[in-house]
Amino acid sequence: MIERSETWAALLRQPIVPLFPTIALVMCLLAILGGIHLLFVMPAQDRVGRLQSEWKDARQRFVQHAEAKRTLQDLAEVLRIIPAKQGFVPLALGITEEAKRNNVKLPSLSYRVETPSGKLATKAIFEGSATGRYEDLRRFIRELELAQELLFIEDLDVVRADTQRERKVTFKMRIATYLRPEPGAPTRQSK
């Protein structure tokens, strides 16, 4: 036992002994720092991660909402361009008048109306044959394409072309447009 105490006494006389209080202080500070990290920093990091995830989700919902709003504005603009159902007859007469102005004969222009399942707009299709000189027919088609109303030339088939003195061309055409429902009319949306 005396040997052990002498060993300790010899160790305490060494130059390293004065560093023991500093080492003990550093160990205490490291323990306190570890405790602060466990009690405050880690929960705060978890909270920051959660908030970032929530922010990302909210931002994604905001972008989807903005896209939906833009889509509704675009749809309203398209519906504004589409003629109303009450404008259907004047539209057919306008096509006939345009044919006359361009020296194109449009003897019979038939039409049919297709209602899609969503009923947002009704599709109206005009069909008939047109006869005239190539230049006149070309001018007539151009005027249809530049019309204020939303018209689509869906099909254009040349039936015959007279290459003799009159140089007349006859073709069958199908023109489509969409008609918006009357204001106040019930619309059924598809599920």
Side-chain angles (χ1 to χ4, degrees):
M1 183 101 169
I2 294 180
E3 275 181 32
R4 283 189 186 169
S5 59
E6 286 178 12
T7 310
W8 280 104
L11 277 174
L12 291 175
R13 281 184 247 140
Q14 295 291 326
I16 197 165
V17 173
L19 294 177
F20 282 156
T22 308
I23 292 172
L25 179 64
V26 168
M27 296 299 262
C28 285
L29 289 176
L30 285 175
I32 291 171
L33 183 63
I36 289 173
H37 185 73
L38 285 174
L39 293 175
F40 297 108
V41 175
M42 287 180 68
Q45 286 176 339
D46 291 343
R47 185 168 181 235
V48 166
R50 242 186 359 266
L51 289 174
Q52 285 177 340
S53 175
E54 289 174 9
W55 179 81
K56 195 181 289 184
D57 291 343
R59 180 72 180 152
Q60 187 176 10
R61 284 192 306 271
F62 173 76
V63 167
Q64 289 173 346
H65 178 73
E67 287 176 2
K69 187 176 180 179
R70 238 179 286 123
T71 301
L72 284 175
Q73 289 171 346
D74 292 347
L75 182 60
E77 182 69 20
V78 169
L79 285 176
R80 188 184 61 75
I81 294 171
I82 294 175
K85 278 190 178 182
Q86 60 264 25
F88 179 66
V89 173
L91 184 60
L93 292 173
I95 292 172
T96 306
E97 287 299 317
E98 193 61 46
K100 285 180 187 176
R101 262 194 305 272
N102 289 295
N103 299 321
V104 173
K105 292 180 184 173
L106 197 61
S108 62
L109 185 66
S110 64
Y111 68 90
R112 69 178 189 273
V113 178
E114 297 175 355
T115 305
S117 61
K119 284 194 173 183
L120 185 60
T122 303
K123 184 176 182 179
I125 300 172
F126 301 100
E127 292 181 307
S129 59
T131 304
R133 291 182 349 175
Y134 173 78
E135 297 81 17
D136 296 334
L137 289 169
R138 190 171 153 211
R139 194 171 38 253
F140 170 63
I141 291 170
R142 184 174 188 278
E143 292 299 322
L144 288 179
E145 288 177 340
L146 296 176
Q148 246 181 338
E149 294 83 8
L150 192 61
L151 296 173
F152 303 101
I153 299 175
E154 289 187 335
D155 193 19
L156 197 60
D157 291 326
V158 175
V159 176
R160 84 186 142 137
D162 293 335
T163 55
Q164 298 173 358
R165 56 187 139 121
E166 288 187 38
R167 296 175 34 171
K168 300 261 181 177
V169 177
T170 302
F171 63 82
K172 287 185 179 180
M173 66 178 183
R174 181 172 53 227
I175 303 169
T177 189
Y178 291 90
L179 305 170
R180 70 174 179 259
E182 293 93 16
T187 58
R188 182 188 68 197
Q189 294 184 349
S190 60
K191 295 179 182 179

